[in-house]
Amino acid sequence: MRSSRTPGSASEGRGPEAGPEAASERGSQLPGEPGSPPPTQLWASGQGPEPDLSWASGQRAEPAPERQQPARSPSDNQVSTKPRCHTNCLEAPLSRAFGRLGWAVGSHPWVFLLLPMVLTALLGCGLIYLPKDAEEDIEEQYTPIGSPAKAERRFVQGHFTANDSYYFSFSRKSTEVNYAFVLVVSNSASLLQRESFLEIEKVDEAVRALSVMGENGTQIQYNEVCSRHQGYCAPSNPLLLAWRTNRDFNLRNITYPIFSLAGRITYLAGVLGGTVLGESLGPSHLLLEAKAMRLGYFLKTGEEDNQRSKTWLMHFLNQVKDLEKSLALETIQVVYFTSLSRQLEFEATSKTVIPLFHLAYLLIIIFAVISCYRFDCVRNKMWVAAFGVISAALAVVSVFGLMLYIGVPFVTIVANSPFLILGVGVDDMFIMLAAWQKTNIVDNLKERMSTVYSKVAVSITITTITNVLAFYTGIMTSFRSLQYFCIYTGTTLLFCYLYNITCFGAFMALDGKREAICLRWLKKPETPDQKCLSLKKSCCNPCNSLPEQQADDIHPMNLFFRDYFGPFLTRPEAKFFVVLLYTLYLILSIYGCFQVQEGLDLRNLASDDSYITPYFNVEEEYFSIYGPRVMVIITEALDYWDEATRQKLEKCLQDFENNVYADKNLTEFWLREYVQFMESHQQNVNDRDTFVQHIPTFITDFPLFGYDINISSSHEIICSRAFIQTMGISSSSDKKMMLLEFRDLAKRCEIPLMVYNHAFIYFDQYFSILENTVRNVIVASTAMFIVSLLLIPHPLCSLWVTLAIASVIVGVTGFMAFWNVNLDSVSMINLVICIGFSFDFSAHISYAFVSSSNPSVNQKTIEALYLLGYPMLQSAVSTIIGVSVLSAAKAYIFRTFFKIMFLVMVFGAAHGLIFIPVFLTFF
């Protein structure tokens, strides 16, 4: 919200002696101070000016028209001695400084117009550093800084290795590998039939046959870059391998999730989906039906092979659609995903909003022109309003260029910033124009500029401070992408403020000269001089009526709030309805707060029409039973041959297995197998030397377990690990609880344990999101409270500001759940932003109410709405227009921004125009 304060008549005095200092002195005696009657009392009696509460009058406040005051006797000065709240300690020097600046801008408009443009040209050159095809690291930007999982990953990388050149194991890799997944979905009830497997085999062979020309001109075949198991490419699916090896393989005799294939135990969890199980056969069940199958193509990630693997994956993505069409599949459908897909699709989303930016720019210009259009041809400000939008655009170019110059990364979420800036950055323009419209058209230009700047000084400064503070508070977040977004947007709002008081003010001064010239031409009699007629015609378009220099300039919407909306809202039945409406709002909001989902769904990083969306949909529908295999790592050296130690370790593993999020039958631990191995060979497992001596033989027989044991040169087992199969963690809340319980189990174990899976790096956001949101909201709210005390030092104002901020935050958070918006790194910063806007809406309406001298609370409310109703409405509408085009975006990350800003504006305006005005009448 913005406001303007009228310091006194701008028509007094002429020449340099009536400059900013004189203008400030004329405005130093404020309504309600000792020595002046209460403004509302005079207004009500028709004997004085309407109350000037324009300091609190919102973003586009138009001060009430001045009326001629009768002479007052000394006794009139004693009408009221009621103490009033003022901010003179900050307002007076700020108004004087702005008055001097306005005088300087009016004296040298071309200097103040051209210098910001030159600065924009210089800083805008930094846009050459705008990344075009550079990769944006999703993990770096959208996962918490200092995530515990990142420390766990460093430990795993430092103590365990997993070679993908001979014995590949996906679950044993500490980071994601290069891969391509193809999910096959049967068109019938089950794909466990010969026809389906024949088509699955065709898909598999077609994928393996893909080859692409490398950078050095050599052909890259799949079997050259594939991860290998025992010298061959790792099988894409164990059941497909069994069926291809033996065409008589019985598809009706499969057990799930453990299957014995050629004497080897095979885990089918995550390999088959949409399963229907039959009778129990030990730890498994007979598999009756399976709706889907996963084919996995894993590629090497070594330094030499990594780029070749990515080249093959890019070729796979380019060819897979044509490949699917050429196969003419009848019994199955396929969806696909690669390790590069998330990154590539996310980078593509930023390009989808570029056309929307042009549309937003056009809409804001149209809104500005309509808001500032006057049928009075002299006072018409349509071109000034259009330049005000250009001024905001100049700020965007300057700051974006500056940030790129100094090396602040431009991430995708920053693409939201210009839409918000266009909606919010033009607010100062409307305030300055409203103040300009109230100056005397025949006054000296320098004096008019000085008066305008004095009026708007506190208004545009306080709201710039609060909004910039709200954004800079977001820099404390643990997500780098949000830090960069807040730096870009907060700094741009600051530049908007600077450009408005320099560049835009200069253009307004030049237009003031046009006013004077047009006024002189309109006063001249008609002349046959064709040149004069042309000048007069161009000056007076779109109409040629002579303006009434002393006419009141009250917008019809202000009269609507004073004569209709205010009286209606203060009726008893309307108050009852408002209380009922607020109660319903609060109930729904609190309920929604408990329903909102936490965390950024990775599928939402891509556009709606991306191929990864159906992939994640199929995975969620058919493969959601089993989650990732979690490493349980013994982080210190242990006496594994000691039976008591093994019992402690076994107890801890059983605690994991008995957890609701684990499948106890799918645990994989080398020590259990080793004990059985030693007992089968009749060796003493409790003897240290015997225990250590037979480990190499055990690893020879079970080579994958060699990745799970870190043995020093002195034959000491430094650390080792087991694997727990998770299940039932499809929702974000389940993932959060699983991670929390697993880490708690590791902490409570007598043996030093650690749990890790590379997915935990993304799961950690579920803890950081809520923590960051609460912390940032508290810090930002505290900052707003301090600002309200300093600039609006009235306890009741501060109380209502705090309550309104809390109410809007609860409402926005709750209704996010009803609009399918998660509490994630994208929406979190918007909740912090809404604190600044909530402050704007609530602080000014509260201050206008408590500053009113009306004896009736209803009259106070009507007066506050008269001064603030239209400015508040304009504020909300302009911001909504700025971000509304994002509702048409194909990407969640941009639609979410629109949804939350829409909720912030609607709920903020509802509090300022409806709830707070009614509640204030109860006190």
Side-chain angles (χ1 to χ4, degrees), residues 189-190 192 254 256 273-278 285-291:
S190 175
L192 298 179
I254 301 173
Y256 185 86
T275 56
V276 177
L277 305 180
H285 293 76
L286 183 65
L287 182 63
L288 301 180
E289 295 179 2
K291 183 71 174 177

Side-chain angles (χ1 to χ4, degrees), residues 633-640 644-652 745-754:
I633 306 164
I634 300 97
T635 58
E636 297 180 5
L638 289 181
D639 297 333
Y640 291 92
T645 300
R646 291 201 304 272
Q647 288 176 353
K648 292 179 181 178
L649 186 54
E650 184 65 26
K651 179 182 181 302
C652 293
L745 287 172
K747 186 181 298 184
R748 289 193 280 115
C749 180
E750 294 184 49
I751 305 296
L753 298 181
M754 173 191 295

Side-chain angles (χ1 to χ4, degrees), residues 316-317 320-321 335-338 340-342 344-345 606-616:
F316 168 84
L317 290 174
V320 65
K321 287 186 177 180
V335 292
Y336 55 95
F337 182 80
T338 74
L340 303 180
S341 296
R342 188 183 300 122
L344 294 173
E345 291 301 292
S607 58
D608 298 338
D609 55 1
S610 170
Y611 62 86
I612 77 172
T613 301
Y615 173 86
F616 278 109

Side-chain angles (χ1 to χ4, degrees), residues 624-693:
S624 60
I625 296 178
Y626 291 101
R629 291 178 65 80
V630 175
M631 301 179 192
V632 179
I633 306 164
I634 300 97
T635 58
E636 297 180 5
L638 289 181
D639 297 333
Y640 291 92
W641 53 85
D642 181 67
E643 186 175 2
T645 300
R646 291 201 304 272
Q647 288 176 353
K648 292 179 181 178
L649 186 54
E650 184 65 26
K651 179 182 181 302
C652 293
L653 276 182
Q654 289 178 0
D655 289 340
F656 279 99
E657 292 172 333
N658 293 329
N659 188 273
V660 67
Y661 296 112
D663 188 328
K664 64 175 60 179
N665 297 316
L666 299 181
T667 300
E668 190 177 5
F669 187 29
W670 71 271
L671 185 58
R672 289 178 178 176
E673 300 297 329
Y674 186 59
V675 170
Q676 293 181 11
F677 173 83
M678 293 288 283
E679 291 176 349
S680 66
H681 288 75
Q682 298 180 351
Q683 298 295 327
N684 184 8
V685 73
N686 297 319
D687 178 72
R688 182 188 185 281
D689 294 335
T690 304
F691 187 97
V692 174
Q693 182 181 356

Side-chain angles (χ1 to χ4, degrees), residues 304-610:
E304 298 180 358
D305 299 310
N306 190 48
Q307 187 56 48
R308 286 164 53 84
S309 297
K310 290 183 176 180
T311 301
W312 187 90
L313 287 175
M314 290 295 297
H315 182 65
F316 168 84
L317 290 174
N318 294 332
Q319 296 296 318
V320 65
K321 287 186 177 180
D322 294 335
L323 182 149
E324 182 181 359
K325 292 179 181 178
S326 64
L327 293 177
L329 303 173
E330 297 179 357
T331 64
I332 60 174
Q333 299 177 13
V334 298
V335 292
Y336 55 95
F337 182 80
T338 74
S339 53
L340 303 180
S341 296
R342 188 183 300 122
Q343 187 77 44
L344 294 173
E345 291 301 292
F346 179 63
E347 291 169 4
T349 58
S350 60
K351 301 176 182 179
T352 63
V353 298
I354 294 176
L356 298 179
F357 180 75
H358 300 106
L359 178 59
Y361 197 86
L362 177 63
L363 291 177
I364 289 295
I365 288 181
I366 293 174
F367 176 78
V369 168
I370 293 176
S371 296
C372 299
Y373 182 82
R374 295 289 188 273
F375 287 104
D376 181 341
C377 63
V378 175
R379 291 193 175 103
N380 182 38
K381 296 297 178 187
M382 53 186 296
W383 299 115
V384 180
F387 186 82
V389 181
I390 295 175
S391 176
L394 293 177
V396 172
V397 172
S398 299
V399 172
F400 279 42
L402 174 63
M403 294 295 108
L404 292 169
Y405 260 135
I406 64 179
V408 180
F410 182 92
V411 295
T412 299
I413 194 175
V414 175
N416 284 305
S417 181
F419 297 94
L420 179 63
I421 296 301
L422 284 180
V424 178
V426 298
D427 290 341
D428 290 348
M429 170 194 75
F430 287 106
I431 304 169
M432 297 174 71
L433 286 179
W436 176 269
Q437 296 285 6
K438 298 308 173 185
T439 58
N440 196 316
I441 196 171
V442 298
D443 278 356
N444 179 272
L445 175 64
K446 300 174 186 177
E447 184 179 347
R448 294 180 72 187
M449 291 296 297
S450 177
T451 302
V452 168
Y453 273 57
S454 296
K455 289 179 181 180
V456 303
V458 176
S459 165
I460 64 177
T461 301
I462 183 177
T463 47
T464 298
I465 289 174
T466 54
N467 289 328
V468 170
L469 274 178
F471 279 103
Y472 283 170
T473 299
I475 298 177
M476 300 188 316
T477 182
S478 299
F479 297 85
R480 294 194 188 278
S481 58
L482 299 189
Q483 292 178 350
Y484 300 144
F485 173 80
C486 291
I487 292 173
Y488 271 89
T489 310
T491 308
T492 305
L493 285 177
L494 191 58
F495 265 65
C496 281
Y497 170 76
L498 297 176
Y499 279 19
N500 271 312
I501 61 178
T502 55
C503 184
F504 173 73
F507 192 86
M508 189 170 65
L510 293 175
D511 188 73
K513 292 184 177 181
R514 179 199 64 82
E515 287 184 359
I517 294 173
C518 286
L519 187 62
R520 287 199 299 268
W521 279 109
L522 287 172
K523 287 182 177 180
K524 286 184 177 181
E526 293 291 343
T527 172
D529 190 338
Q530 185 63 37
K531 181 179 179 181
C532 293
L533 287 175
S534 300
L535 287 174
K536 183 175 180 179
K537 183 176 180 181
S538 61
C539 172
C540 299
N541 284 333
C543 58
N544 58 3
S545 60
L546 185 66
E548 298 181 37
Q549 299 176 25
Q550 304 301 328
D552 290 346
D553 189 10
I554 304 178
H555 199 282
M557 285 299 296
N558 292 91
L559 299 178
F560 165 77
F561 278 98
R562 184 188 69 184
D563 300 336
Y564 298 99
F565 185 78
F568 169 78
L569 198 63
T570 53
R571 293 166 57 182
E573 55 271 24
K575 293 181 182 180
F576 174 79
F577 177 76
V578 168
V579 172
L580 188 64
L581 180 64
Y582 182 77
T583 303
L584 179 62
Y585 159 83
L586 208 55
I587 292 173
L588 290 175
S589 299
I590 294 175
Y591 172 77
C593 288
F594 290 99
Q595 305 301 316
V596 67
Q597 296 291 317
E598 297 178 34
L600 181 63
D601 189 339
L602 295 180
R603 86 183 72 182
N604 290 330
L605 295 177
S607 58
D608 298 338
D609 55 1
S610 170

Side-chain angles (χ1 to χ4, degrees), residues 238-239 241-243 246 249-269 272 281 283-287 666:
L239 287 184
L241 175 64
W243 189 82
N246 179 16
F249 180 74
N250 188 357
L251 298 175
R252 300 294 180 181
N253 194 30
I254 301 173
T255 57
Y256 185 86
I258 301 175
F259 178 59
S260 178
L261 181 62
R264 287 187 173 272
I265 297 298
T266 302
Y267 297 103
L268 300 181
L272 294 177
L281 300 174
S284 296
H285 293 76
L286 183 65
L287 182 63
L666 299 181

Side-chain angles (χ1 to χ4, degrees), residues 837-851:
F837 294 113
S838 302
F839 173 88
D840 294 343
F841 283 117
S842 59
H844 297 308
I845 193 75
S846 302
Y847 186 78
F849 180 89
V850 300
S851 299

